[in-house]
Amino acid sequence: MDEHRAITAIGSRPPEPENWCPRTGAPTADQLEDWKLVMEYSRLGSSGLKVSRIALGCMSFGDTSRGFSEWSLGDQEAQPFFRQAIELGITFWDTANVYGIGSSEEIVGRAIDEYARREDIVLATKVHFKMHDGPGGSGLSRKAIMEQIDASLTRLGTDYVDLYQIHRFDPATPVEETMEALHDVVKAGKARYLGASSMWAWQFAKMQHAADLHGWTRFVSMQDQYNLMQREEEREMFGLLADQGVGSIPYSPLAKGRLARPWGEHTRRFDTDPVGRRFDIDNDRPIVEAVQRVAEARGSKMVQVALAWVLKNPTVTAPIVGATKTHHLPDAVAALDVRLSDDEIQLVEEPYAPHLPTGY
């Protein structure tokens, strides 16, 4: 892994969030004098694209009136998290056309204009899920891809994305049609790199093979679900990614927050997000309790232990972390400095039992 580190703040432990600057949602200049957080940057798989090792997940941001989710933060509520991401060196931002039914992309686009230069952000979005009832409103047909990349670019307020990802596999469209259309998006200058998300390993291999056969652009990343409570990617997908030089950028690295708090504690999102219920399984309670024990013994937070475990996998480039509270992103960045011992790794891994893959 080609990696370098950049100091984004100085000291040892972050000040408590209630003491941060209320305007920026980040620590004050004086507080930064006593706080050390180091961002790491790494190439995405074997590509030349360097990304921050923590990615900002933007599914947390959107207009709830459009019906995508009840727990998303609106435009004004979301702004402090983009400012904070920039302060922390988190420059890899991931969204999707379907998040907030387009409104997440709109919010992200405005945030880039407000807080960053476009060239300083590695911007990722996705295509597949339903945006409207027409033939170009969903799936991975040529029509859908060409229509949806243009719509995403309009909402994002940019003429290109750095990483254009297929949100799922589309069994209704020949892989050759999909891969050629994606290649044409790259050649048109509308995307720099291509990525994929949650599917069976054989499906991903089939798509990469089609690209190789025809000289089309290959995928450089796989956005898959990976955390201590869902480790099925280790069976086939991770071996394939390592062989192909593809970087994993896992979503739900904290199991929708389940690994970030003691068993039994609930949040607003947990109570309203049906997807998060996948991780409300009594058999997984020992995993959460093991993470809690390791964190308490270290004097660390559970989130840092759970993320450090994900980050130790050499196939993982950058876990995607959503943020709805001011401590979420600093806690995630702090995980980069956590190195788990062999005994700690065994303790948190031992309770795992096989699961059916979820999300595809």
Side-chain angles (χ1 to χ4, degrees):
M1 182 180 293
D2 181 13
E3 191 174 286
H4 73 272
R5 294 161 68 84
I7 296 177
T8 57
I10 304 171
S12 58
R13 290 182 64 85
E16 292 303 313
E18 57 265 26
N19 296 323
W20 293 358
C21 173
R23 182 182 63 83
T24 65
T28 66
D30 289 341
Q31 289 169 333
L32 289 179
E33 292 295 326
D34 300 318
W35 177 20
K36 178 182 180 182
L37 284 179
V38 178
M39 177 52 64
E40 297 175 357
Y41 299 84
S42 178
R43 290 192 303 150
L44 182 53
S46 60
S47 77
L49 180 64
K50 282 197 171 181
V51 299
S52 55
R53 290 215 68 205
I54 300 295
L56 175 64
C58 298
M59 191 171 75
S60 303
F61 314 131
D63 182 351
T64 57
S65 70
R66 300 191 193 182
F68 182 77
S69 67
E70 298 178 20
W71 49 267
S72 297
L73 302 182
D75 200 346
Q76 293 305 309
E77 295 173 293
Q79 295 309 305
F81 297 98
F82 294 107
R83 287 194 296 263
Q84 192 182 61
I86 294 295
E87 290 285 339
L88 294 169
I90 300 173
T91 53
F92 185 12
W93 296 2
D94 175 77
T95 185
N97 61 348
V98 76
Y99 294 165
I101 316 300
S103 59
S104 175
E105 289 181 325
E106 294 166 356
I107 291 171
V108 170
R110 287 192 288 270
I112 292 174
D113 286 343
E114 181 71 21
Y115 305 115
R117 298 184 307 169
R118 174 64 187 87
E119 57 266 33
D120 292 335
I121 300 298
V122 176
L123 179 59
T125 194
K126 310 183 198 72
V127 58
H128 176 276
F129 288 113
K130 183 177 179 179
M131 294 297 289
H132 61 75
D133 292 331
S138 62
L140 299 177
S141 68
R142 169 173 283 274
K143 179 174 178 61
I145 288 171
M146 295 303 179
E147 176 182 319
Q148 293 304 318
I149 183 61
D150 286 344
S152 286
L153 294 178
T154 296
R155 287 188 292 264
L156 288 163
T158 185
D159 56 4
Y160 74 97
V161 292
D162 297 286
L163 182 65
Y164 198 45
Q165 304 160 98
I166 59 169
H167 216 153
R168 293 296 185 271
F169 183 81
D170 180 5
T173 303
V175 296
E176 292 81 7
E177 178 179 343
T178 296
M179 296 308 294
E180 185 177 20
L182 291 170
H183 177 71
D184 289 345
V185 168
V186 173
K187 291 306 175 185
K190 297 178 181 181
R192 302 296 188 249
Y193 298 87
L194 299 177
S197 184
S198 285
M199 62 184 67
W200 295 106
W202 69 264
Q203 293 170 328
F204 185 67
K206 184 177 182 178
M207 301 190 85
Q208 290 285 69
H209 183 59
D212 289 340
L213 280 178
H214 298 279
W216 296 329
T217 306
R218 305 173 89 249
F219 296 122
V220 301
S221 64
M222 166 57 70
Q223 186 171 150
D224 43 5
Q225 185 175 213
Y226 185 57
N227 55 64
L228 274 164
M229 296 169 69
Q230 178 54 271
R231 295 170 52 193
E232 298 308 303
E233 295 296 274
E234 294 175 1
R235 301 187 187 279
E236 292 189 358
M237 183 61 82
F238 274 3
L240 175 61
L241 299 184
D243 176 74
Q244 297 284 304
V246 174
S248 170
I249 49 175
Y251 68 90
S252 298
L254 298 172
K256 302 294 184 184
R258 208 72 199 83
L259 291 162
R261 56 182 179 271
W263 189 264
E265 287 190 10
H266 287 193
T267 63
R268 176 191 171 204
R269 177 175 178 179
F270 182 85
D271 292 332
T272 59
D273 182 6
V275 178
R277 301 294 171 82
R278 296 173 185 165
F279 298 105
D280 191 27
I281 302 171
D282 285 339
N283 288 345
D284 289 335
R285 178 173 181 167
I287 300 173
V288 177
E289 292 175 341
V291 171
Q292 184 178 1
R293 287 198 298 275
V294 170
E296 289 174 349
R298 280 178 156 267
S300 300
K301 294 184 177 182
M302 292 175 64
V303 58
Q304 293 161 9
V305 172
L307 271 180
W309 179 86
V310 172
L311 286 159
K312 77 175 180 59
N313 191 304
T315 308
V316 171
T317 298
I320 298 170
V321 178
T324 56
K325 296 180 180 177
T326 51
H327 63 87
H328 286 166
L329 294 180
D331 285 348
V333 176
L336 292 168
D337 281 333
V338 175
R339 300 292 183 267
L340 300 176
S341 69
D342 291 344
D343 288 344
E344 290 171 327
I345 292 169
Q346 181 179 359
L347 183 64
V348 297
E349 288 185 349
E350 193 170 32
Y352 185 78
H355 289 61
L356 288 174
T358 58
Y360 59 95

